[in-house]
Amino acid sequence: MDRREGDSVFLIPADGRPTPATAGRLILDDTASISRSLGELLKRVDDSSRDDPDDDDLHVPPPSTPSPHHHLLKLTGSSPLAEGATGKPPPFLLSFTDLSYSVKVRKRSLLSLVGGSGADREGRTKLLLDSVSGEAREGQILAVLGASGSGKSTLIDALAGRIARGSLRGRVALNGEDLHLHKGQLLKSISAYVMQDDLLHPMLTVEETLTFAAEFRLPRSIPRSKKRQRVQTLIDQLGLRAAAATIIGNERRRGVSGGERRRVSIGADIIHDPIMLFLDEPTSGLDSTSAYKVVQVLQGIARTGSVVVMSVHQPSSRILGLLDRLLFLSRGRAVYSGAPEGLPSFFAAFGRPVPENENRTEFALDQILELEGLPGGTDELVEHHRKWHIVHTREGAASSTSAGFSLRDSIGASISRGKLVSGAADVGKTRGTGADGASRVPTFANPFWVEVSVLTKRSFTNSRRQPELVAVWLGALLVTGFMLAAIFWKLPRSAVGIQERLGFFALAVSTTYFTCGEVLPEFLQERYIFIRETAHNAYRRSSYVLANTVAGIPALFPLSITFAAVTYFAVGLAGGFSGFLFYLAVIFACFWAGISYMTFLSGVITDVRLGFTAVVASLSCFFLLGGFFVSRGRIPAYWLWLHYLSLVKYPYEAVMHNEFGDPRRCFVKGDQMFDQTILAGLSPEMKKSLLRAMGSVLGVNITGNTCVVQGPYVLKLQGLTDFSKWGCVWILLAGGVLLRVLFYLSLLVGSKNKRR
C-alpha cells in the first residue's frame, strides 16, 4: 500500500501473520523520544483506525485466525525508555529459583484427641514444593504438569504471589528483579490469576460481564469508547462473538456452554491486558474440543506479549502442540523442564524411551507415577533432570535482562506498544526500582466512588433479571402474613388480647429474620466472586461492601410495605395511620438488620449448611433472650449481655411501645377482670356487686367501664422500659450498619486469598 508522510504504517510480515514478538501490539518507533501517556496513545490508535474506512474497531484476532481488516499499527513520537538506554527493551522473562513451601499437617485421630503421643498432637511437616526452579518467557505458554498432589496449583500460587512471603522460600523475579521487593503491589498491577472454578454473575450476558470488568479494572483516564473497543476486541479474541448476548446462566437458567463460560472467566481476568497470566487448570472439566479452544485462546494471549503460566492435568496431543515449555512435578520436585520436543531424548537418556505413536505427556506421567510407587521414588529421575538441565541449558538466556533496561523501562515500553496494564500506566514514567518506585505504583485502577458506582450497577443488573427470587420471597411473606392476619384477626382489648398481641409481635419479628435467611446462599456465592476479582486488586473491599449495601436496600421497601399492610390493619393494632407508619419503619429496620446479619455470616462462614445451622442457632438464642419468653429481670446476669445484643429485643420492644405506650389506651376494663377466671360465669349483676365491693375496699369507684389496665402498665410488667420506641429503631438501624462494618472486617481479615 502507499504511504503518505505522517500516516501510520501497517507492519504485516510476508506470510500475512503477526510474529510472536509483535502480534496484537502497537509497535513503537525507536527514533522517538517524547513520552506519551496511555490515554494519548489510545487516542492515536483511535485516530489511526478512523483513517481506514474498512476498520470499525481495533481487534486483536488470535494468530491462527488473522483478520484482513484488523492491522498492527505503528505509532510515532513515543518512547518510554530511560535516558541513556539504547536498543530494544528485552522481552519479559519470569524466572523462579529454589522455590520451597511446606505446611504442617496435623493428625486428626481419636488417639490424638484422647492423649496420643506428642508427635501425633503436633503433626508433621509436608513439603509441597522442594527447590523448584524454571522460567517462563513472553510469547510462550509454560504448562505445569503432574499427578494430583504433585504441587501444580501450589507452584502457580507461588508465582502469582498467592503465598505469604514468610511462608515461601526462594526467589521469583521478572527480568531479573525480585518481585517480592515490591511487596506484591507491582505483581498485582501487571498480572492476572484465573481460578479453576468459573465464578461469574449468572444473569449477566457475556458482553456485560466483560464490560463491567473493564469498567473497574481499566483506569478512569481511558475513555469509555476505548473500553468498549477493548471489550469488543476481547470478545473476538476469545471467540465469543456468537455468545456475546447470551447470559452466563446457572442451574436454574440455561446460558453459555462450559467452554464458553471458561473463556468468559479468562476474559474477565485479562480485560486489563496483563503482562503475566496465571491459570489453575483452565481445561479442567471441559471436553477435548472446548479444552483445545481454551488453550488456543491462551496461545493468542501469549503472542500479544504476555507470559502465560498454566497448570494442566493431562493434555491431549492437540493441546501439546500449542504448548511451548513443560514443567513436570512429582511430589513437589521438578523432574523435567523444557520444550515438549525434548521429552523423547530426555527419557531415552534415562533408559525409558518413548514408544512411537504414543502421547509423550501421557507416557511421561505414567513413568512418573510408576516411579513414585517404587521404594526410591523419583529420586533418580530428579537427579537425571538436574544433570540434563545443566547440559541442555540454552545459551544466552541471561541476555533477556540486558543492562540499561530496568523492569519499569520494559513495562513502560510494553504499555507504549499497546499494553493496557491496568494500574501500571504510571510505571513506565517512574525511573528506577526499589521501595520508592514501588510506592508509586497505584494499588487500584479507579477511585473509590467509581468502583462503588460500577459494582452497584452490576448488582442491580444481575438482580433485576432474577425476579423469581424476589417473587418467591414476596410470596412467602404474603402467605405468612395472611396466616397471621387470619389467626390474630381483630384482637380484642382484654387480658387475652394483650397476651395474643405479645405472641403476634414475636411471630412477626421472627418471620422477617427467618425470611432473610433465604438470601444466605446468594451472598455466599457472590463472596467467592468477590475473592476472585479482588485477588489482583480489581477493586477495594470497602467499595464492594458499600455497593452491596446500596444495591440491597431498594428490595427491602416492597417487602416491608407488603408485610406491614397485610398484618397491621387485619390484627387491629392501635395507633391509626401514624402507628402504621411506625410499624412499617420497624419492619423495614428488621429486614435491614436481618439482611446485614446474613451478609456478615457469609463473610465468616463459607459453607451453606454450616451457615444455615449458625442462622437457626443464633436466632434461637436471640428469641430466647430477647424479652418475649423471659423478661429482662429473670435473665441470669451472665446472659444479660446477650439480651442487649439480641436482634429480637429492639424490634419487639419498639412495636410493644407503639401498641402500649399511650396511657390513654385502655386494654382491660372492670367487667373484663373476670375473664379467663372461675368467676367468668357469674351474672352481670353479680359482677357489678363484686366491683363495688372491691372499690369500697380500695377507696375508689370501680364500675364495668373503669379502666384497670393501661398500656404503660403492660410495658412495666414485661420489663420493656430501657429505651423509647424510636430509640429502639435507631439502635436496630445502627446495628445493621455495625454488622456491615463487621462484614468488611471479615473480608479484610478472612479473604487475603493467600496461603500461609
Side-chain angles (χ1 to χ4, degrees), residues 97 374 465 710:
T97 309
L374 299 177
R465 293 177 183 163
Q710 294 175 319

Side-chain angles (χ1 to χ4, degrees), residues 379-546:
D379 292 345
E380 292 185 7
L381 188 59
V382 171
E383 180 62 21
H384 174 65
H385 167 254
R386 187 185 67 80
K387 295 177 180 179
W388 173 274
H389 186 68
I390 293 175
V391 174
H392 293 82
T393 298
R394 292 183 299 178
E395 297 181 359
S399 63
S400 59
T401 56
S402 306
F405 292 95
S406 69
L407 174 58
R408 297 181 182 279
D409 290 334
S410 300
I411 295 174
S414 182
I415 293 172
S416 295
R417 292 197 300 268
K419 277 288 182 184
L420 299 180
V421 190
S422 171
D426 293 334
V427 176
K429 303 175 186 177
T430 305
R431 300 242 176 87
T433 57
D436 179 67
S439 64
R440 304 187 194 182
V441 181
T443 306
F444 300 97
N446 289 285
F448 172 79
W449 63 269
V450 172
E451 295 173 351
V452 173
S453 175
V454 174
L455 291 172
T456 302
K457 183 179 179 181
R458 184 178 69 172
S459 184
F460 275 135
T461 304
N462 187 65
S463 300
R464 188 178 67 246
R465 293 177 183 163
Q466 301 182 82
E468 65 276 6
L469 297 181
V470 179
V472 170
W473 200 1
L474 195 60
L477 278 177
L478 282 172
V479 171
T480 307
F482 281 125
M483 290 181 65
L484 289 175
I487 294 173
F488 296 96
W489 180 264
K490 298 299 181 182
L491 293 178
R493 292 194 179 186
S494 62
V496 176
I498 292 174
Q499 191 62 38
E500 291 178 344
R501 278 173 170 80
L502 302 185
F504 167 75
F505 290 142
L507 290 173
V509 172
S510 66
T511 297
T512 59
Y513 284 132
F514 281 109
T515 302
C516 293
E518 297 298 325
V519 303
L520 185 63
E522 299 294 329
F523 283 130
L524 285 174
Q525 182 183 17
E526 189 164 310
R527 180 180 183 272
Y528 289 119
I529 298 176
F530 159 83
I531 291 176
R532 179 183 67 82
E533 292 179 334
T534 56
H536 281 248
N537 290 358
Y539 47 80
R540 298 166 178 83
R541 291 173 174 82
S542 55
S543 302
Y544 172 77
V545 172
L546 183 57

Side-chain angles (χ1 to χ4, degrees), residues 294-361:
V294 167
V295 180
Q296 203 173 30
V297 166
L298 296 178
Q299 184 189 55
I301 294 171
R303 298 299 189 261
T304 63
S306 296
V307 177
V308 178
V309 183
M310 58 179 279
S311 62
V312 60
H313 183 65
Q314 198 165 4
S316 64
S317 299
R318 290 197 303 166
I319 291 178
L320 185 63
L322 301 176
L323 305 178
D324 299 288
R325 295 184 62 83
L326 305 178
L327 174 60
F328 282 85
L329 296 180
S330 172
R331 296 177 180 175
R333 298 188 295 176
V335 294
Y336 175 78
S337 60
E341 296 78 14
L343 276 173
S345 58
F346 174 80
F347 277 97
F350 185 64
R352 298 192 177 208
V354 180
E356 294 184 7
N357 302 323
E358 184 167 343
N359 186 301
R360 288 167 287 178
T361 58

Side-chain angles (χ1 to χ4, degrees), residues 264-316:
V264 175
S265 182
I266 294 172
D269 284 313
I270 67 168
I271 192 71
H272 59 301
D273 202 14
I275 290 173
M276 294 186 295
L277 176 61
F278 306 99
L279 306 101
D280 185 12
E281 299 206 20
T283 60
S284 175
L286 301 179
D287 59 79
S288 59
T289 301
S290 298
Y292 177 74
K293 288 182 179 179
V294 167
V295 180
Q296 203 173 30
V297 166
L298 296 178
Q299 184 189 55
I301 294 171
R303 298 299 189 261
T304 63
S306 296
V307 177
V308 178
V309 183
M310 58 179 279
S311 62
V312 60
H313 183 65
Q314 198 165 4
S316 64

